[in-house]
Amino acid sequence: MASKVIVTGGLGFIGSHTVVELQQKGYKVIIADNLSNSTLEVLDRIARITEQKPEMEVVDLSDRAACLAFFKAHADADAVIHFAASKAVGESVQKPMLYYRNNLDSLLYTIEGMQQGSCRKLVYSSSCTVYGQPKQLPVTEQTPRLEAECPYGNTKKISEDILTDLTKGELPADGKPFRILALRYFNPIGAHPSALIGELPNGVPGNLMPFITQTAAGIRPCLQVFGNDYATPDGTPIRDYIYVCDLAQAHVAAMEYLEKEQAVGIDFFNLGTGRGYSVLEVIESFERSTGQKLNYKITGRRPGDIEQIWADTSKAERLLGWKANTGIDQMTLSAWKWQQSLERAK
Ligand code: WQD
C-alpha cells in the first residue's frame, strides 16, 4: 500500500510541485494548508497534471488545537514534509512577530502532532539563508551558519536548532526516535512544464524571477536591479538558482533516503545546482530564452541582501542520489510560460 505523506503548505510554490512528484511516484498525499499564500485552485491544477486529486484540509498549523486534531485524524501517515511557513524576507523585517509566531508555532505543533501518533519521519524545508554571507564558496553543509540577515532566515535557523535538539533529547514515550532531514534550498525558480502550477506571489513580488516575468508581461513598468557595485564580475549579486521541479524531485529522493537509512537522527542537505548566476546573467538568460526584451534599471542595494552564494551539492548527490539537471535558460523560459498562462486565464 502506497506510503502516506502529510505535506504541510502543500498548495504553495515548492509544496505544490513536490505533491506532483510524490503522486507521480505513487505516494498517497494529504495536504494541510491555511491558504494564506495560495488558493484551492492549485489543488485542481495538481489534479489536472497527475489525474488524481490529493486529499486536502484547510488548517492553520499555528493553531495548536487545529493542528493536533489534523494530525490525530491522519495518525496513519508514514512521513511529513513540512513546508508551511511565511517566507517573504522583506515582510519578515516589517512584521517579525508574525514570522516568529507563525513559523515556530507551526513547527512546534507539527512535532507535537507527530508525537501523538507513531510517525517520526520528517523532511523540513530549510534555506540557504542560514549561511548568511559565507566567507568561503561554494558552501558545504559544514559551512558555519552565520547571523541571519532577517527574521525569516532566523526562524529557519531556530527551527533547525529545535529539530536538532529534538533528536538529541529523550526518546518519545513509544521509544521511536525522530528521523529528520533539513533541506537547505537555494533560489527556487521556474514552473512545471505544464504551466499549470508555478510561483504565485501575493501582491508585488519580492523575488527576482516573478518580478522579471511580471515586468515582461507589462504588469510592472520596470525591474529594479538592486545594486551593481558588489565585488562580483558584473557587480550584481550572485545566487544559485535551482529549477523548482528538480527541487521537488529532491524531496522524493529524501523520502526514499529516510525509508532506507534507519540510523539518521538529523541530517542537512544543500539543494542547489553548484552554479551561481548574477542578476544581469538571469536577465540575459530570460531575454535569450523568451525573446522578450526586459525593461530594467540599476538602483541602490536592497538592505539585507548578501553579495554571493552558491552550493556545494556533492553531499546530496552522494547520499540522496540526486542532482539538479535543468539549465538556466530552461528555468527562465518555464517561468515565462507560466506567466503567459496566468495572463490567458485572466
Ligand atoms: C535574488 C537576487 C536581489 C528582486 C530568496 C528567498 C529566500 C531563500 C533564498 C528560500 C538578489 C535581486 C530581486 C528585484 C533584484 N529561499 N533582485 N530586483 O533574496 O536571494 O532570497 O531565495 O528559502 O527565502 O527570499 O532572492 O529573488 O529576492 O533576490 O535585483 O526586484 O535578485 O537583490 O540579488 P533572495 P530574491
Side-chain angles (χ1 to χ4, degrees), residues 166-277:
L166 173 67
T167 58
K168 289 180 177 167
E170 62 183 22
L171 287 176
D174 65 5
K176 286 186 69 180
F178 273 85
R179 300 196 293 111
I180 300 169
L181 299 185
L183 307 181
R184 292 170 177 164
Y185 308 158
F186 283 68
N187 286 54
I189 63 168
H192 190 267
S194 66
L196 285 169
I197 53 175
E199 197 166 0
L200 261 178
N202 275 338
V204 179
N207 291 133
L208 177 65
M209 199 69 242
F211 209 108
I212 287 178
T213 58
Q214 289 190 11
T215 302
I219 298 167
R220 310 285 163 205
C222 176
L223 168 75
Q224 295 183 76
V225 174
F226 296 137
N228 69 344
D229 58 350
Y230 289 92
T232 60
D234 65 18
T236 61
I238 292 172
R239 296 288 186 275
D240 186 332
Y241 297 94
I242 176 170
Y243 184 40
V244 64
C245 295
D246 288 341
L247 184 58
Q249 286 161 17
H251 290 74
V252 177
M255 295 291 298
E256 290 163 359
Y257 180 74
L258 273 180
E259 198 52 45
K260 188 166 50 105
E261 292 299 326
Q262 298 299 320
V264 74
I266 186 166
D267 210 350
F268 303 87
F269 289 92
N270 286 341
L271 298 184
T273 67
R275 166 80 160 86
Y277 285 95

Side-chain angles (χ1 to χ4, degrees), residues 19-33:
V19 167
V20 165
E21 297 298 333
L22 287 167
Q23 286 193 313
Q24 290 179 335
K25 283 277 185 161
Y27 287 90
K28 184 172 165 26
V29 172
I30 162 79
I31 294 170
D33 199 300

Side-chain angles (χ1 to χ4, degrees), residues 310-332:
W310 61 92
D312 174 320
T313 61
S314 53
K315 183 176 177 184
E317 290 171 42
R318 187 174 71 254
L319 297 184
L320 301 184
W322 169 89
K323 181 172 174 49
N325 55 23
T326 305
I328 190 72
D329 286 7
Q330 270 182 282
M331 292 188 234
T332 54

Side-chain angles (χ1 to χ4, degrees), residues 131 133-144 186 240 270 272-276 308-314:
Y131 295 115
Q133 175 54 68
K135 292 182 174 50
Q136 276 192 309
L137 289 168
V139 285
T140 70
E141 289 81 357
Q142 284 66 48
T143 298
F186 283 68
D240 186 332
N270 286 341
T273 67
R275 166 80 160 86
Q308 50 188 318
I309 188 168
W310 61 92
D312 174 320
T313 61
S314 53

